Amino acid sequence: MAQVESNKQQPGSADTPDGAGSLDTGVRVWPSKRYAEMHRRSMEDPQGFWSDQARKLDWYKTWDRVLDWDAPYAHWFVGGKLNASYQCVDRHVKTWRRSKVAIYWEGEAGETRVLSYSTLFREVNHCAAVLQKLGVQKGDRVALYLPMVPELPIFMLACARIGATHTVIFSGFSAQSIADRVNDTGTKLIVTADGGYRRGKVVALKEITDEAVKMCPSVEKVIVVKRTGQKAPMKEGRDFWLSDLLGDGESQPKVKPEALDSAHPLYILYTSGTTGKPKGVVHGTGGYMVYNHSAYQWVFDIKEDSVYWCTADVGWVTGHSCIVYAPLSHGAAIVLYEGAPDYPSVHRWWDIVQKYGVTIFYTSPTAVRLFMRYGPEWPQKHDMSSLELLGSVGEPINPEAWRWYYKYIGGERCPIVDTWWQTETGGIMISPTPGIEPVPLKPGSATFPLPGIDAAVVDSDGKETLPRQTGYLTIRKPWPGMLVDIYGAPDRYKEAYWSRFPGSYYTGDFAMRDEDGYFWLLGRADEVLKVAGHRIGTAEVEDAVVSYPDVAEAAVAGKPDPVKGEAIVLFVTLKQGVSASPALKDGLVKHLRRVIGPVATPDEIYFVDSLPKTRSGKIMRRVLKAVASEQKLGDLTTLEDETSVEEVKRAYESLKGLSGGVKEKG
Ligand code: WTA
């Protein structure tokens, strides 16, 4: 534990990102020598650096070239062959780790399952055989719509084993969302469960899947995992219980992992952007695995006896990289918990920490703020002395939440790694790196980019900003974890990430650096919201709202929320002859939950006579945002130029005065 023990630093002093600095951009203090040396080498000799990292994995064939940079497409470890499932299971069962715990699973109702690496190996093999038996071949796409049960990582690894590309669909999504994703990828097979538990209630996942499959002509087979035991209608010849397919297990053959090209698509994961349709982010195998294996070590300082718990859902990228691929590639023991943080009581999470002796705990600022609300007495009733390192992900962590987390969860002993990254980046990009060398932490700052990551904060002309000046976060060099494409939409890939600042990857985030060079992430710079850490595009919600029969037009804005970070506010105009009513509001909310899922539930709905628009018909989003967040309009000079300041002000004042008749609070 030496490295973590020596990391008992106190938070630094400059802990709020306010006030503009006047120092030159040249001032960059890298407070950790080992880190600085590693970062410097990775910038000066990226190919040598990444090839050293890649050697930590097992390859069937080593690469001919580390990188072909055919901008904006990066081909990593060209000519290399490997298998992600081999990295995560086979390589461990060849060692003493075969009897080491891979997964401590805790069901919502308190049931448990403990899977050793050899059990995981067996189950991955069995499920890979089942997939093959149902006709899945290398290159096929397989959709996984499952709750947080061991079968979810098992099927991901089973797909990876045979070279099928998985697309995991978060189990909170609706039938329509499943259908959109399945149709976009042309999936032939879906793996689901009869049901899933959510706060003691059963969600009928199979029924939702059936509804989706009606809209998906490509789906031929559905595998159903028994979880809740409720009735699930099974269609002869199409639907199969996993238990029937597995039989006694003994009859299942071992499945040799496919030696896959480094570029082989490991998975597709849909995420929201600025346009209505979520984008299918494609990750390859070689670059993704190399990057995550390294980043995970640097950030979490993983050790043989670590017990690591990431509370994210496997359905998001955090779950893909930081529950499944990176930890298992290290042979780590992970905790997988099925249920809600505070169900059946506020003790739940802290019970789990105590029960399994969790040493590394990784969660979201929203969860921290939720527990802050309940008060420190809950965690204080538990022995949490096993904890050594805490992590935060998904949204900016406000200094107040950071301090609470540090004090009441970490006992003022555990460093916090505030990790900034995205579905597209594949792995953690900006974060403290106690696995290399500790740096002094500043509450609310993700500190420094990882080795190999050339992050910069630039103004709208692409020029680096001065310290404490807000700009756009960009990445100036390709890195192995980066997305390889948007599925079936290369133009969107180029447009969304590589057109804003030619030659650099555009993150869509605001950021600034302070005079010590620390990075502060300041939220999205585009029309994407982060609601309880979930990424939701305003356009996606707007499209769903206008598909409701009574609605004429809709606009969505984010509003600061003390727990969720951001909340959804809807501005809606109704069709002629329709008037606002509580019933209409309820109908609209239900409709949104049905079309997208509960994550899209709005906090407030305003029925308005008209939406504020510029002369060319663009919605004045800043006006709506200011109204939604009950803030002043701020600087008007950069607002849509063809509209006069007076017009904007008028629109703002008229909306702000939303009177009882039109305002329907959610
Ligand atoms: C935000 C989640 C501040 C950011 C891994 C990014 C963060 C978006 C942080 C990606 C952080 C993530 N501090 N903001 N530590 N981590 N974000 O694709 O706006 O769900 O662009 O990936 O989350 O969200 P995604």
Side-chain angles (χ1 to χ4, degrees):
M1 305 290 128
Q3 275 164 314
V4 167
E5 285 295 305
S6 67
N7 197 18
K8 284 181 181 167
Q9 68 269 63
Q10 293 296 318
S13 52
D15 57 1
T16 44
D18 43 20
S22 57
L23 296 170
D24 288 333
T25 47
V27 179
R28 292 287 182 263
V29 183
W30 301 96
S32 145
K33 194 157 167 283
R34 244 172 90 196
Y35 160 81
E37 273 164 16
M38 236 167 119
H39 196 272
R40 191 178 318 113
R41 172 165 184 239
S42 73
M43 291 297 106
E44 286 168 7
D45 175 20
Q47 306 226 358
F49 177 82
W50 286 119
S51 115
D52 287 352
Q53 298 304 319
R55 273 190 261 279
K56 295 176 183 163
L57 300 186
D58 291 343
W59 296 76
Y60 294 107
K61 179 180 170 292
T62 43
W63 50 97
D64 305 319
R65 291 181 307 283
V66 174
L67 170 66
D68 281 351
W69 179 222
D70 176 17
Y73 287 97
H75 308 280
W76 287 93
F77 309 110
V78 182
K81 285 191 186 288
L82 77 169
N83 185 287
S85 139
Y86 184 92
Q87 304 300 322
C88 294
V89 286
D90 301 50
R91 72 183 330 215
H92 308 309
V93 294
K94 295 189 165 144
T95 70
W96 65 272
R97 285 198 197 115
R98 80 179 70 87
S99 53
K100 183 181 171 178
V101 171
I103 301 177
Y104 291 107
W105 178 75
E106 177 92 11
E108 192 189 75
E111 344 66 307
T112 57
R113 271 173 76 185
V114 180
L115 284 78
S116 65
Y117 271 95
S118 64
T119 310
L120 184 63
F121 174 76
R122 200 184 58 225
E123 306 235 337
V124 169
N125 268 281
H126 289 174
C127 289
V130 158
L131 289 173
Q132 282 182 332
K133 198 153 63 184
L134 293 191
V136 177
Q137 291 174 354
K138 175 177 161 186
D140 287 346
R141 274 84 52 213
V142 170
L144 308 177
Y145 181 63
L146 284 164
M148 286 280 281
V149 290
E151 283 76 8
L152 180 48
I154 288 167
F155 267 105
M156 289 164 78
L157 295 168
C159 288
R161 196 166 191 84
I162 61 173
T165 300
H166 59 73
T167 181
V168 178
I169 302 167
F170 171 57
S171 62
F173 277 137
S174 64
Q176 184 64 55
S177 299
I178 303 173
D180 290 346
R181 285 156 179 76
V182 165
N183 288 334
D184 199 46
T185 49
T187 299
K188 284 192 285 193
L189 185 141
I190 303 181
V191 185
T192 188
D194 49 357
Y197 290 108
R198 199 165 303 142
R199 309 189 74 84
K201 289 202 205 93
V202 172
V203 182
L205 298 177
K206 173 64 167 59
E207 276 176 28
I208 299 173
T209 306
D210 285 345
E211 214 184 306
V213 172
K214 282 189 208 140
M215 301 178 255
C216 303
S218 63
V219 174
E220 293 164 8
K221 304 270 186 320
V222 178
I223 299 178
V224 188
V225 175
K226 202 167 270 170
R227 170 65 190 116
T228 52
Q230 82 208 75
K231 270 233 286 279
M234 300 292 277
K235 192 168 166 199
E236 182 77 35
R238 186 196 72 183
D239 301 347
F240 305 87
W241 288 106
L242 177 64
S243 48
D244 292 344
L245 293 168
L246 285 173
D248 60 5
E250 297 315 311
S251 51
Q252 298 296 335
K254 285 234 167 50
V255 177
K256 210 168 139 250
E258 283 275 343
L260 299 168
D261 285 342
S262 176
H264 188 82
L266 178 61
Y267 67 81
I268 303 167
L269 187 58
Y270 283 79
T271 191
S272 301
T274 49
T275 52
K277 226 171 125 231
K279 298 180 280 210
V281 169
V282 186
H283 280 293
T285 304
Y288 176 83
M289 289 303 290
V290 168
Y291 187 73
N292 273 294
H293 189 77
S294 299
Y296 189 71
Q297 179 66 57
W298 298 331
V299 173
F300 292 108
D301 195 17
I302 192 80
K303 303 193 198 66
E304 211 55 83
D305 57 356
S306 301
V307 178
Y308 166 88
W309 183 18
C310 167
T311 67
D313 194 286
V314 171
W316 310 112
V317 77
T318 308
H320 280 57
S321 300
C322 291
I323 297 179
V324 182
Y325 289 110
L328 299 180
S329 79
H330 279 275
I334 66 165
V335 174
L336 192 68
Y337 169 55
E338 183 186 35
D342 52 353
Y343 184 85
S345 88
V346 187
H347 289 298
R348 193 71 169 114
W349 271 15
W350 318 123
D351 263 342
I352 295 176
V353 168
Q354 178 174 332
K355 177 171 172 187
Y356 296 104
V358 171
T359 61
I360 306 170
F361 179 71
Y362 188 33
T363 195
S364 67
T366 290
V368 173
R369 290 187 294 257
L370 174 78
F371 285 106
M372 255 172 103
R373 246 194 194 183
Y374 286 124
E377 58 277 18
W378 298 87
Q380 277 168 347
K381 293 211 173 77
H382 301 266
D383 177 5
M384 310 237 287
S385 58
S386 59
L387 289 172
E388 292 169 2
L389 183 65
L390 304 177
S392 171
V393 62
E395 48 183 319
I397 182 161
N398 46 313
E400 199 195 350
W402 195 104
R403 287 206 186 80
W404 192 92
Y405 193 27
Y406 184 75
K407 184 166 178 189
Y408 294 110
I409 305 303
E412 295 183 314
R413 159 186 99 248
C414 308
I416 297 177
V417 289
D418 174 8
T419 64
W420 177 87
W421 56 299
Q422 308 179 300
T423 306
E424 295 88 340
T425 68
I428 298 169
M429 300 285 278
I430 303 181
S431 166
T433 47
I436 300 172
E437 199 173 25
V439 296
L441 303 174
K442 300 187 188 192
S445 166
T447 73
F448 299 101
L450 263 47
I453 303 307
D454 187 13
V457 180
V458 301
D459 63 19
S460 43
D461 297 326
K463 217 169 106 264
E464 261 192 283
T465 54
L466 295 171
R468 292 194 177 270
Q469 215 173 45
T470 299
Y472 303 97
L473 181 68
T474 61
I475 315 291
R476 296 181 291 202
K477 276 191 182 46
W479 67 100
M482 75 186 230
L483 74 167
V484 298
D485 212 345
I486 295 297
Y487 192 76
D491 290 345
R492 278 181 92 189
Y493 169 72
K494 289 178 201 149
E495 169 61 28
Y497 308 109
W498 300 96
S499 65
R500 181 85 168 77
F501 300 104
S504 286
Y505 169 85
Y506 174 50
T507 61
D509 272 27
F510 283 128
M512 65 143 218
R513 302 184 73 176
D514 65 18
E515 53 280 13
D516 296 328
Y518 280 63
F519 282 76
W520 298 80
L521 283 310
L522 305 173
R524 296 291 303 196
D526 54 8
E527 298 307 327
V528 171
L529 306 181
K530 270 289 181 161
V531 180
H534 297 161
R535 186 165 155 180
I536 299 171
T538 50
E540 194 181 337
V541 181
E542 285 162 8
D543 282 1
V545 177
V546 295
S547 69
Y548 195 64
D550 292 336
V551 171
E553 275 188 307
V556 168
K559 155 193 166 146
D561 182 277
V563 174
K564 293 189 285 188
E566 252 181 326
I568 298 175
V569 178
L570 288 186
F571 295 87
V572 178
T573 66
L574 296 170
K575 287 194 180 140
Q576 241 176 359
V578 181
S579 47
S581 69
L584 193 135
K585 192 189 73 176
D586 284 352
L588 195 50
V589 170
K590 280 205 191 93
H591 172 74
L592 273 174
R593 292 169 70 95
R594 197 168 51 239
V595 176
I596 301 178
V599 289
T601 309
D603 266 47
E604 284 174 24
I605 300 178
Y606 294 102
F607 294 112
V608 296
D609 295 333
S610 65
L611 293 173
K613 289 196 189 143
T614 65
R615 275 176 227 157
S616 63
K618 274 200 281 176
I619 291 171
M620 297 178 194
R621 293 191 171 274
R622 276 191 35 210
V623 170
L624 295 178
K625 201 169 165 74
V627 172
S629 19
E630 291 169 30
Q631 279 166 357
K632 293 211 180 75
L633 202 43
D635 178 21
L636 289 177
T637 50
T638 56
L639 209 93
E640 295 78 3
D641 8 296
E642 82 269 29
T643 302
S644 76
V645 169
E646 275 319 304
E647 278 173 283
V648 175
K649 274 193 185 148
R650 258 204 311 277
Y652 173 70
E653 291 304 329
S654 80
L655 274 180
K656 223 177 62 169
L658 289 166
S659 61
V662 284
K663 179 175 165 175
E664 275 285 338
K665 266 208 144 202

